[in-house]
Amino acid sequence: MAKGLLIVFTGNGKGKTTAALGMAMRAAGHGLKVCFIQFIKGGWHYGELDAVKWFEGLIDFHVMGKGFTWKSDNIEEDVLLAREAWDFACGIIASGVYHTVVLDEFTYLLHYQMLALDACLDFLNARPTGQHIVVTGRHAPERLLALADLVTDMQAIKHPLASGVKAQKGIEF
Ligand code: ATP
Ligand code: MG
């Protein structure tokens, strides 16, 4: 029986966002619609921003909050933006249009308690039948892991940054 899964990619190792992108591409290959929502925008111009143009009509990509790194001095504004971003994601999920909805770096909004955890988990749990949700990010709250059907903890064994290799095109961004 087909079951809509709640999938979490967490942990300190590299590979969470790229795993979600891989899933999006896999679903798109079957003609299944994916909505990829990025809750944090880093400083780089990420390749995926342009790559998804090749998947027009199949992968819809949204970056929430402008230059949004959660390091702002204005916590109230951050919280407001976080709520707006989550409201947007709720609309996407509830629309039932998508086979898979990716909430990239969503764990940070929960970890920093910018959103009410209970309400978020209830909403994810009540998603349209058969819809898959992928959540990525470090510090996934235990209760999200408990609710999830699939959890992968990316373990950092080695990373080139530790030996001074800077972020590279096509690898980090
Ligand atoms: P990717 O987007 O490459 O799949 P990620 O989503 O798992 O990585 P994030 O936690 O979102 O990683 O962090 C984003 C950036 O931090 C990436 O550029 C990644 O290479 C880098 N990074 C991830 N893990 C480590 C690590 N263990 N040490 C140093 N940098 C890391
Ligand atoms: Mg990531």
Side-chain angles (χ1 to χ4, degrees):
M1 196 181 76
K3 180 186 189 314
L5 302 173
L6 178 58
I7 298 173
V8 179
F9 296 138
T10 191
N12 292 327
K14 172 173 158 56
K16 302 173 290 292
T17 295
T18 45
L21 286 166
M23 286 194 56
M25 201 189 77
R26 177 173 284 172
H30 292 286
L32 301 167
K33 277 181 75 76
V34 177
C35 189
F36 198 107
I37 304 173
Q38 238 171 23
F39 284 86
I40 297 180
K41 187 183 168 199
W44 292 304
H45 186 81
Y46 293 88
E48 53 264 38
L49 294 172
D50 296 318
V52 292
K53 291 175 190 160
W54 295 92
F55 294 88
E56 215 186 315
L58 286 172
I59 303 179
D60 292 335
F61 199 96
H62 303 274
V63 180
M64 298 288 103
K66 248 184 169 176
F68 208 7
T69 58
W70 311 107
K71 282 179 197 153
S72 129
D73 300 329
N74 189 340
I75 293 181
E76 275 159 38
E77 197 193 328
D78 281 355
V79 169
L80 203 71
L81 284 170
R83 292 196 181 141
E84 273 177 27
W86 170 239
D87 282 349
F88 176 81
C90 288
I92 293 286
I93 291 166
S95 75
V97 166
Y98 297 95
H99 168 269
T100 299
V101 177
V102 179
L103 308 176
D104 186 42
E105 318 297 352
F106 181 60
T107 55
Y108 296 92
L109 280 67
L110 300 174
H111 179 68
Y112 291 111
Q113 297 173 1
M114 293 175 151
L115 302 171
L117 181 60
D118 280 315
C120 290
L121 296 182
D122 286 349
F123 190 86
L124 292 178
N125 207 24
R127 67 191 178 278
T129 311
Q131 186 182 69
H132 307 285
I133 304 262
V134 182
V135 175
T136 89
R138 299 176 191 206
H139 315 299
E142 279 301 325
R143 285 174 47 213
L144 173 64
L145 303 186
L147 183 65
D149 302 288
L150 191 166
V151 177
T152 298
D153 187 3
M154 304 288 180
Q155 196 189 346
I157 307 276
K158 263 188 171 183
H159 194 286
L161 192 73
S163 47
V165 180
K166 290 194 181 131
Q168 299 184 76
K169 192 184 279 186
I171 305 291
E172 263 85 30
F173 62 92

